[in-house]
Amino acid sequence: MRFVDEYRDADRARVLAAGIAALCEPGRHYKFMEVCGGHTHAIYKHGLEDYLPEAVQLVHGPGCPVCVIPMGRVDDAIAIARNPDVILTSFGDMLRVPGGHGSFLDAKAAGADIRMVYSPLDALKLARRNPDRRVVFMAIGFETTAPSTAMTVLRAAAEGVQNFSVFCNHVTIIPAIKAILDSPDLRLDGFIGPGHVSTVIGCRPYGFIPRDHGRPLVCAGFEPLDVLQAVHMLLRQLAEGRAEVENQYTRVVPWNGNHRALEAINRVMELRPYFEWRGLGFISHSALRMRDAYAAFDAERIFQVPGVRVADPKACQCGEVLKGVLKPWECKVFGVACTPETPIGTCMVSAEGACAAYYNFGRFTRQRTRKASRA
């Protein structure tokens, strides 16, 4: 299959692995953060760490939209769903995310009408079919999914659908990366930039990373050779004394982003003064809310939302995992009390969660094999 098979070629992977090893300075250790959860899953699904020398360590970042949702926002959504005339709609990976008083599935079992949808347009369709019910869409995701939410609101407004609203939890990636760079807990040599987000915002917004922090960033795709090439490009920059933003994912990511998608977001939404992120705390201007012009579609203005901050369970270390401070297998409950069937934290629930990636692909310890990198 074009754009798949050629990016999974084992011989080319070995060539890249040899090039990576050759670029490593003797005695130096490198730590790169893959911001996107999709990269984390690609790394462990395809065993890419086994192609890297010991000197190169990959750590995961906060690029999983489900994982960064704080427990209080889950409780807020459940409070909305408990209104007798409400249908709460959500993507499937949010259904088992634990809040302070259970998950969406728990609330559904208790009588709330909560339904899974594949897009906000499905929620709008439900609103048309149920004019006597108020349909709320639980909007999550980075700039990747925000355009579809914005376009759905614009369609609802154009069609005069008055029983549809959005509980907006869209977050933005740049403030999160700034928070990571300002954190004293982690020292990074570079970033593997998020591919999906960059299809919307482009590569230009990352310019502050090399300019202000002297760290390179490479926007990368999600196939095995994409990730390995991104690591090679980062190491080459460091070896040449450069720190720049480069685009490995040129077949998908435009340098200046998707203007029509950005225009739709800007028309319907605006930045919040601050927003709570799991593990990172409150970050200013890091999330989106509905503009006043679309207040009629803002569930936070239509319904009474508790807005209570809920602390994570003491046993859960999702915050440290999301910041790249801990590997999942270093968490005391990983794979024991916390599994995909009985998740304690969001990182084990989401399809893009780091803990789910480690669990599903058998990474329960530090142990790695080196056959590929020696080949």
Side-chain angles (χ1 to χ4, degrees):
M1 183 182 296
R2 194 180 179 206
F3 296 136
V4 174
D5 292 345
E6 64 265 45
Y7 293 94
R8 297 183 180 183
D9 187 298
D11 291 334
R12 293 180 181 178
R14 293 187 185 96
V15 171
L16 276 171
I20 288 169
L23 285 170
C24 290
E25 182 182 329
R28 180 174 177 180
H29 291 270
Y30 303 86
K31 183 179 287 187
F32 301 130
M33 173 175 282
E34 78 271 3
V35 177
C36 182
H39 285 136
T40 304
H41 275 255
I43 289 164
Y44 292 102
K45 177 181 179 180
H46 298 288
L48 299 186
E49 272 202 330
D50 299 335
Y51 283 83
L52 302 177
E54 287 283 357
V56 176
Q57 181 185 6
L58 301 180
V59 298
H60 25 267
C64 165
V66 172
C67 302
V68 301
I69 295 293
M71 297 178 75
R73 296 295 285 186
V74 177
D75 289 349
D76 290 343
I78 290 174
I80 294 173
R82 285 180 177 148
N83 287 276
D85 63 337
V86 166
I87 300 173
L88 179 69
T89 60
S90 169
F91 293 139
D93 51 0
M94 273 298 302
L95 295 179
R96 293 189 302 118
V97 173
H101 303 287
S103 66
F104 285 0
L105 288 181
D106 295 325
K108 181 178 177 68
D113 193 346
I114 300 178
R115 308 185 191 184
M116 186 187 78
V117 293
Y118 291 100
S119 80
L121 287 172
D122 291 341
L124 182 59
K125 189 183 297 182
L126 264 177
R128 293 196 205 99
R129 291 176 178 173
N130 298 272
D132 57 332
R133 304 284 298 277
R134 294 187 288 179
V135 177
V136 180
F137 175 64
M138 173 78 173
I140 65 164
F142 289 91
E143 292 94 336
T144 316
T145 54
S148 62
T149 301
M151 292 302 295
T152 302
V153 170
L154 290 171
R155 178 173 291 188
E159 295 179 359
V161 180
Q162 299 179 359
N163 63 323
F164 171 78
S165 63
V166 170
F167 182 49
C168 191
N169 294 276
H170 286 299
V171 290
T172 56
I173 193 64
I174 297 300
I177 296 177
K178 288 182 178 178
I180 290 291
L181 285 166
D182 292 338
S183 172
D185 299 331
L186 196 59
R187 293 290 180 267
L188 299 170
D189 295 288
F191 291 88
I192 299 175
H196 293 146
V197 170
S198 301
T199 62
V200 175
I201 69 172
C203 299
R204 194 176 296 276
Y206 304 116
F208 75 96
I209 298 174
R211 183 185 65 245
D212 300 338
H213 299 275
R215 301 289 187 271
L217 179 143
V218 175
C219 291
F222 297 90
E223 294 299 327
L225 294 190
D226 288 327
V227 177
L228 290 175
Q229 186 178 21
V231 173
H232 187 275
M233 292 168 72
L234 286 169
L235 286 168
R236 185 174 59 193
Q237 284 198 49
L238 293 173
E240 295 173 356
R242 295 185 292 118
E244 301 172 6
V245 176
E246 292 184 325
N247 185 10
Q248 183 276 335
Y249 206 18
T250 53
R251 65 186 186 276
V252 174
V253 173
W255 185 263
N256 292 313
N258 184 324
H259 293 291
R260 294 188 66 181
L262 292 170
E263 286 171 3
I265 296 172
N266 187 57
R267 181 176 173 184
V268 176
M269 303 173 190
E270 63 184 4
L271 288 172
R272 295 176 183 265
Y274 55 87
F275 191 77
E276 183 185 2
W277 290 56
R278 183 180 291 243
L280 297 176
F282 286 92
I283 304 176
S284 61
H285 302 109
S286 65
L288 301 169
R289 65 183 181 187
M290 308 297 288
R291 289 188 179 274
D292 290 343
Y294 295 93
F297 300 97
D298 188 353
E300 289 184 79
R301 306 192 202 195
I302 297 170
F303 301 93
Q304 287 189 339
V305 178
V308 177
R309 188 180 185 190
V310 179
D312 289 338
K314 291 183 179 180
C316 177
Q317 294 182 284
C318 276
E320 287 78 6
V321 171
L322 287 168
K323 290 188 292 186
V325 176
L326 288 183
K327 292 283 191 178
W329 47 261
E330 294 177 300
C331 175
K332 294 178 181 179
V333 296
F334 172 74
V336 185
C338 186
T339 68
E341 291 74 29
T342 58
I344 294 177
T346 53
C347 296
M348 188 62 87
V349 177
S350 172
E352 292 189 2
C355 295
Y358 276 60
Y359 186 92
N360 291 331
F361 300 114
R363 280 302 306 275
F364 295 98
T365 66
R366 185 191 299 270
Q367 202 63 35
R368 289 164 54 183
T369 59
R370 295 284 157 216
K371 293 181 180 178
S373 57
R374 294 197 198 103

